[in-house]
Amino acid sequence: MPSQPLAVVVSLDVEEEGLFSGSYPRFGAGLTNIAHLARLEFLPREFGLPLTYLCDYPVLCHGPSLAILEGLLARLGGELGAHLHPWNTPPFPEMPWPEPVSTAVMPRDVFRAKLESLQEAAAAFCGRRATSFRMGRWNLFRRAMAVLPEAGFTVDSSVAPLRHVRGGPDHFLAPADPYWLRPAGPDGPRLLEAPTTQVPLVPGSPALCDALSARLGSRGRDAMRTFFMKTATLGVNPVWMPEATMRLAVRAHVRRGGRAVTLFWHSSELLPGASPHFPDKAAVDGFLAKVRRFAGWLRRTFDVRGTTLGALAGPDFSWPDRSSAIRPRSTGDWG
C-alpha cells in the first residue's frame, strides 16, 4: 500500500438519452435516466466516494431532473459540474459543419458563448458557477481548452490518455495523474487537468508506439494507436473494462507513482435499454454489482480518499506543473 492516500473520483456525465444512436438532436431527447442516479447512493454512503455530477444543458434546464439532483446533493453531498454538448447548448449560429461540430474548427467565440450558457444554467440552479468540466465526446482540442479558465473552470476532465479516435484531439501521451497547466499561455490562469485513468500495460510503451507510428504516415499512425488502445491499455472505466483489468490498472498506476484514480460513466447507462452495453435491467444490475465490488476492493486494498473533481484543485492536494511552457515542442492537445 502506498504511503500517501489514493484520491478516488467518481465522475458522471449526466445527460439525455439517445447518445449512442449516432444522432444529435437539438431538442426533445429524453431525460428519464436522471431518476436512476439514485441507484448510486451506495458509493458515498457505504464507501465514502462522493459523486461529481457533470451536467449538460438539457439537464440543467429540466425541472424534474433538477429536483432529483437537488435531493441527491442535499442528502449525499458531492459536486455539480458542467458537461458540454455543443449541439444542444445555445447559441446556435449557422456553421458550415455537421453536428457534432468539433472544437478543432468551432469558432472560439461560439464555444465561449456555449460555455457561458452552461454556466448561467448551473448558477441558476445552485447559486454558483461550476468549477469542474468535461467536454462531450472527449472532443477538447488545445485551442478550446484555453477558453475554460476564463469561463470560470478550474478543473477539466476531458483527457483520456491512450485513447485514439481518428480526427479527434491528440491525448495519446497525456499523463494519467492530474497535472496543472496554463492553456492560455505562461501568464494565463492555471487549469488542473484530471484525466480519466488509463495506463499502459508496459511502462514506456506509448512513447515507443508514438515514435514508431510517426514514420508510417497518418493512416499508419491511426492504425497503430488504435491497436495499442485496444490491446495494451489498462483503465478503470467500468463500462469499457473488465473488472480484473480495472484492478490491474489501479495497481499498475499506484506502483508507478500515481496518486489519483478518476472513474467515469454516463447517467444514461443506468437506464435499461438506453445504451447498447446495457439492454435490460439484468445488465444494469450486473454493472452496479461490478461497481460495488470494485469500490469495496479499492477500500480494502488502498488508503482511499474519496474526493470530487473540484476538490482536486484545492489546498489538500499537490500536483505537478506540465504547462506548455515546459513542453514547448509538444503537439498534443492535452496541455
Side-chain angles (χ1 to χ4, degrees), residues 39-40 42 270 283-293:
R39 299 200 66 187
L40 299 175
F42 68 88
L270 301 174
V284 175
D285 290 346
F287 170 73
L288 292 173
K290 175 183 177 180
V291 171
R292 183 187 290 274
R293 288 193 302 269

Side-chain angles (χ1 to χ4, degrees), residues 111-131:
F111 183 67
R112 187 177 289 111
K114 289 179 180 289
L115 291 178
E116 184 61 25
S117 295
L118 195 56
Q119 285 285 39
E120 288 175 357
F125 168 51
C126 61
R128 62 170 181 81
R129 294 163 76 88
T131 58

Side-chain angles (χ1 to χ4, degrees), residues 6 20 36-38 44 63 68 80 82 86 104 113 131 139 190-191 207 250 253 269 271 287 292 295 307 332:
L6 178 66
F20 298 95
H36 293 257
L37 289 171
I68 292 166
L80 184 99
T131 58
N139 189 257
R190 294 203 305 174
L191 179 74
V250 180
H253 183 49
E269 286 163 336
L271 175 65
F287 170 73
R292 183 187 290 274
T307 184

Side-chain angles (χ1 to χ4, degrees), residues 177-221:
D177 237 19
Y179 56 94
W180 287 102
L181 53 90
R182 297 184 186 272
D187 299 321
R190 294 203 305 174
L191 179 74
L192 183 73
E193 180 58 48
T196 59
T197 305
Q198 296 202 141
V199 298
L201 180 62
V202 179
S205 55
L208 178 60
C209 170
D210 200 58
L212 292 174
S213 66
R215 306 175 181 180
L216 303 177
S218 60
R219 289 189 178 181
R221 189 185 196 200

Side-chain angles (χ1 to χ4, degrees), residues 264-281:
F264 100 95
W265 62 91
H266 305 89
S267 61
S268 58
E269 286 163 336
L270 301 174
L271 175 65
S275 160
H277 295 100
F278 307 111
D280 51 34
K281 184 177 182 298

Side-chain angles (χ1 to χ4, degrees), residues 215-237:
R215 306 175 181 180
L216 303 177
S218 60
R219 289 189 178 181
R221 189 185 196 200
D222 285 339
M224 183 170 281
R225 283 187 167 191
T226 299
F227 179 78
F228 190 99
M229 177 181 69
K230 293 180 177 179
T231 62
T233 297
L234 308 172
V236 298
N237 179 279

Side-chain angles (χ1 to χ4, degrees), residues 16-287:
E16 66 280 0
E17 290 113 50
L19 297 172
F20 298 95
S21 64
S23 62
Y24 300 91
R26 186 169 295 177
F27 305 109
L31 289 165
T32 57
N33 75 90
I34 307 304
H36 293 257
L37 289 171
R39 299 200 66 187
L40 299 175
E41 289 195 21
F42 68 88
L43 286 168
R45 288 194 187 280
E46 298 179 27
F47 301 105
L49 299 176
L51 304 177
T52 300
Y53 303 98
L54 299 166
C55 300
D56 74 354
Y57 189 79
V59 173
L60 291 171
C61 296
H62 184 242
S65 295
L66 294 179
I68 292 166
L69 287 164
E70 184 177 29
L72 291 171
L73 290 166
R75 292 195 307 274
L76 306 168
E79 178 187 2
L80 184 99
H83 182 51
L84 180 62
H85 286 173
W87 59 88
N88 59 25
T89 304
F92 303 112
E94 290 294 327
M95 291 187 284
W97 307 281
E99 296 288 7
V101 178
S102 172
T103 62
V105 296
M106 183 186 299
R108 287 211 291 182
D109 61 338
V110 174
F111 183 67
R112 187 177 289 111
K114 289 179 180 289
L115 291 178
E116 184 61 25
S117 295
L118 195 56
Q119 285 285 39
E120 288 175 357
F125 168 51
C126 61
R128 62 170 181 81
R129 294 163 76 88
T131 58
S132 298
F133 177 81
R134 179 173 293 137
M135 184 66 200
R137 295 297 181 264
W138 309 98
N139 189 257
L140 190 67
F141 283 78
R142 183 186 288 190
R143 63 188 293 273
M145 182 182 281
V147 180
L148 296 182
E150 67 182 72
F153 295 108
T154 58
V155 182
D156 175 62
S157 187
S158 303
V159 170
L162 305 179
R163 185 172 185 270
H164 180 73
V165 177
R166 188 173 186 180
D170 181 359
H171 297 161
F172 191 74
L173 294 180
D177 237 19
Y179 56 94
W180 287 102
L181 53 90
R182 297 184 186 272
D187 299 321
R190 294 203 305 174
L191 179 74
L192 183 73
E193 180 58 48
T196 59
T197 305
Q198 296 202 141
V199 298
L201 180 62
V202 179
S205 55
L208 178 60
C209 170
D210 200 58
L212 292 174
S213 66
R215 306 175 181 180
L216 303 177
S218 60
R219 289 189 178 181
R221 189 185 196 200
D222 285 339
M224 183 170 281
R225 283 187 167 191
T226 299
F227 179 78
F228 190 99
M229 177 181 69
K230 293 180 177 179
T231 62
T233 297
L234 308 172
V236 298
N237 179 279
V239 178
W240 294 351
M241 300 289 178
E243 193 172 346
T245 300
M246 294 169 64
R247 295 186 182 195
L248 182 58
V250 180
R251 288 191 184 278
H253 183 49
V254 171
R255 188 166 56 248
R256 298 167 193 171
R259 296 188 293 118
V261 170
T262 300
L263 295 86
F264 100 95
W265 62 91
H266 305 89
S267 61
S268 58
E269 286 163 336
L270 301 174
L271 175 65
S275 160
H277 295 100
F278 307 111
D280 51 34
K281 184 177 182 298
V284 175
D285 290 346
F287 170 73

